[in-house]
Amino acid sequence: MAQPPRTDPFAQNLRDQDAGAAFVLQSKGEWWHAGFHLTTAIVGPTILTLPYAFRGFGWGLGCFCLTVMAIVTFYSYCLMSKVLEHCEKAGRRHIRFRELAADVLGSGWMFYFVILIQTAINTGIGIGAILLAGQCLEILYSNLSPSGPLKLYHFIAMVTLVMIILSQFPTFHSLRHINFGSLLLSLGYTFLVVGACIHAGTSKNAPPRDYSLESKMTTRVFSAFTSISIFASIFGNGILPEIQATLAPPATGKMVKGLQMCYAVIFVTFYSAAVSGYWVFGNKANSNILNSLLPDKGPSLAPTWVIGLAVIFVLLQLFAIGLVYSQVAYEIMEKKSADVKQGMFSKRNLIPRIILRTLCRTHGLVLFNKAIDS
């Protein structure tokens, strides 16, 4: 006997009263907009750690693991997109990761479990983006004014204030131009780093190259697990359903095109940064390839302006990354605080949005105070 169709606990008639869905996850985007969002969510400054990841495996196994992870994650993201499309055709459209998890796993508690995990990860990324952006500003400042009075916590406060302003973009879709800029920035600092590595590798000060693995077995195992953790996390993206929700209907096939765009950028950036950095520094590669190019002792192995420009590009992209991973929190807040019957920019919705998003970004100021206390 055929089973009755499953009812959607997140039905359209309920979603029409959901300000988080109507405002933050507004469905107006095209497939290339999804590509911009995906690229910002996946391709970030962590690619500068890839030469270090190759230390634990060497050339052959390093390239193999990077390729396998790219294939596995691309397939899994495409599969998730297809599942979302299948659910939508069956009358159960899911625009949030937690809704998909509750439907697929068939357990109400999974809905709240995914909220907890997703919020923790996104908050960690948001805090990390603020810290890294503050460090980028500190690096630029220390090179321009070595004896200047400003410290890291000053730059954390500056970054937080900029994030508070940028966080007032009302919808995920409104970030499409920023995320396109993020895509260009990721290509920009990758090409700068690759050029700097080629310059370093062909200069008279080129470091000696040794591609051998660690001699001690315990150290070799530790390095291998470190490399595995980098390869496993660098392709991570915990907001794919929310990105797919921004696509204008019909969304069939659009997300796959967006993923193809994203992985084309991944192929260019990941492989070029990994291969060029490991080619120059071998098993002496630093966890941040920029530190290898600008060592504490000895002359810079690349033009200082190239490294400085790369740091500026990284800094600017970190703002986009922080914004993208904040959308889940903003959607939850908007769902609880906004009135969908009134306009997105009505006084009733605008004032709570400004207040809540400002409070949400103030964890940067908390870091500021912690830094002062320490």
Side-chain angles (χ1 to χ4, degrees):
M1 179 181 295
Q3 295 184 354
R6 296 173 60 181
T7 58
D8 184 7
F10 313 102
Q12 187 62 41
N13 61 338
L14 299 177
R15 193 162 286 141
D16 290 339
Q17 307 301 317
D18 184 346
F23 295 163
V24 180
L25 300 180
Q26 197 175 54
S27 301
K28 288 186 175 181
E30 300 294 339
W31 68 264
W32 53 88
H33 298 146
F36 301 159
H37 301 325
L38 288 165
T39 303
T40 301
I42 299 177
V43 183
T46 49
I47 65 176
L48 302 178
T49 65
L50 283 173
Y52 182 77
F54 270 47
R55 285 179 49 174
F57 287 141
W59 278 115
L61 198 55
C63 289
F64 174 77
C65 288
L66 185 61
T67 303
V68 168
M69 286 305 302
I71 294 172
V72 169
T73 54
F74 179 77
Y75 175 75
S76 64
Y77 292 148
C78 286
L79 191 62
M80 185 183 297
S81 175
K82 295 294 185 182
V83 170
L84 288 166
E85 291 177 2
H86 171 77
C87 290
E88 183 173 2
K89 291 177 181 178
R92 306 189 312 276
R93 182 172 184 251
H94 301 309
I95 62 174
R96 302 172 176 96
F97 212 122
R98 54 190 182 272
E99 295 176 359
L100 177 64
D103 188 5
V104 173
L105 299 177
S107 174
W109 66 267
M110 185 58 65
F111 178 82
Y112 300 99
F113 177 75
V114 172
I115 289 179
L116 177 64
I117 299 299
Q118 189 181 36
T119 302
I121 293 173
N122 293 350
T123 301
I125 293 174
I127 293 174
I130 290 177
L131 284 174
L132 286 174
Q135 290 176 341
C136 288
L137 279 176
E138 185 185 34
I139 291 171
L140 295 172
Y141 178 77
S142 61
N143 280 276
L144 294 173
S145 179
S147 57
L150 298 183
K151 304 297 181 184
L152 176 60
Y153 54 82
H154 293 112
F155 301 112
I156 291 174
M158 294 176 192
V159 170
T160 301
L161 292 175
V162 174
M163 289 297 295
I164 288 174
I165 295 172
L166 292 176
S167 66
Q168 304 310 321
F169 279 88
T171 69
F172 203 153
H173 180 64
S174 64
L175 300 179
R176 61 194 183 281
H177 302 301
I178 291 178
N179 290 340
F180 175 60
S182 171
L183 186 155
L184 297 179
L185 288 169
S186 64
L187 291 172
Y189 65 70
T190 299
F191 293 152
L192 287 170
V193 167
V194 171
C197 288
I198 294 174
H199 179 276
T202 56
S203 67
K204 62 180 181 180
N205 295 321
R209 294 165 196 163
D210 183 3
Y211 304 115
S212 61
L213 301 180
E214 300 288 349
S215 56
K216 293 183 179 180
M217 181 57 65
T218 54
T219 308
R220 184 180 298 183
V221 171
F222 180 79
S223 297
F225 276 102
T226 301
S227 299
I228 291 172
S229 67
I230 294 173
F231 287 135
S233 61
I234 201 168
F235 290 93
N237 172 18
I239 55 174
L240 187 140
E242 286 81 359
I243 292 175
Q244 186 157 334
T246 65
L247 291 171
T252 303
K254 292 181 179 179
M255 198 63 176
V256 174
K257 291 182 179 179
L259 283 166
Q260 289 171 349
M261 172 193 285
C262 174
Y263 272 76
V265 176
I266 285 174
F267 178 80
V268 172
T269 55
F270 283 29
Y271 281 91
S272 59
V275 170
S276 61
Y278 189 63
W279 169 69
V280 177
F281 298 103
N283 58 18
K284 302 300 181 183
N286 199 289
S287 57
N288 185 338
I289 196 62
L290 294 178
N291 292 334
S292 298
L293 291 167
L294 194 63
D296 294 332
K297 297 180 180 179
S300 173
L301 298 177
T304 306
W305 70 268
V306 172
I307 299 176
L309 189 58
V311 172
I312 292 173
F313 285 1
V314 169
L315 166 65
L316 294 175
Q317 195 200 22
L318 285 168
F319 288 114
I321 293 173
L323 287 174
V324 163
Y325 279 97
S326 299
Q327 296 307 303
V328 174
Y330 295 163
E331 175 267 316
I332 294 174
M333 292 188 298
E334 204 93 349
K335 181 178 180 180
K336 298 296 184 182
S337 65
D339 184 357
V340 73
K341 296 179 181 179
Q342 301 192 40
M344 185 186 302
F345 298 103
S346 65
K347 185 183 296 186
R348 162 64 181 82
N349 292 330
L350 183 61
I351 293 175
R353 181 185 304 128
I354 293 174
I355 294 173
L356 289 172
R357 294 192 181 192
T358 299
L359 291 174
C360 183
R361 302 307 324 184
T362 51
H363 51 61
L365 295 178
V366 174
L367 294 172
F368 171 87
N369 292 326
K370 292 289 186 181
I372 292 177
D373 294 339
S374 60

